[in-house]
Amino acid sequence: TALARWHGKVVLLNFWASWCVPCLKEMPMLAKFQHDHAADGVQVVGVAMEQPQSAAVFLKRVAVGYPVLTGIDADPVPTTVFGDTAGLLPYSVLIDRDGRILATKLGPLDEGLLDDWLYQAASARPK
């Protein structure tokens, strides 16, 4: 899968769309999180759940500071694969270094939750 390139890192998958206001509000926080924790082996990956050309136009205007994949045409739909049965955005998934899902969150993230997730991921490290 596309995520295989980040195996061995803690991955924060963030499903979003440019028309989703809460998604856009959390992007600067995710960029800061990526910047602050890249050295700890953390990788934020955005997944645009809209047409690739719409996402590309948005990303030309707004630099997010982390890689963005397009998931709208994937089958099965990636949000469903990761547990977002309602198909609502934003939706975030914390994946540990071995590819296991540690946590999911429907709705916007906040810094407190990101800190908790970082702690969870650190404690999930194999001894």
Side-chain angles (χ1 to χ4, degrees), residues 49-114:
M49 298 303 293
E50 64 183 292
Q51 294 306 316
Q53 59 273 27
S54 304
V57 166
F58 173 80
L59 292 168
K60 279 190 184 125
R61 288 194 329 254
V62 179
V64 294
Y66 49 85
V68 174
L69 309 173
T70 307
I72 194 77
D73 294 327
D75 184 26
V77 178
T79 47
T80 308
V81 171
F82 287 103
D84 180 11
T85 51
L88 300 173
L89 299 173
Y91 186 74
S92 299
V93 181
L94 181 68
I95 301 169
D96 76 5
R97 295 171 195 279
D98 296 321
R100 289 182 308 239
I101 295 175
L102 293 179
T104 60
K105 167 87 168 87
L106 176 59
L109 296 165
D110 60 56
E111 288 182 21
L113 181 64
L114 286 178

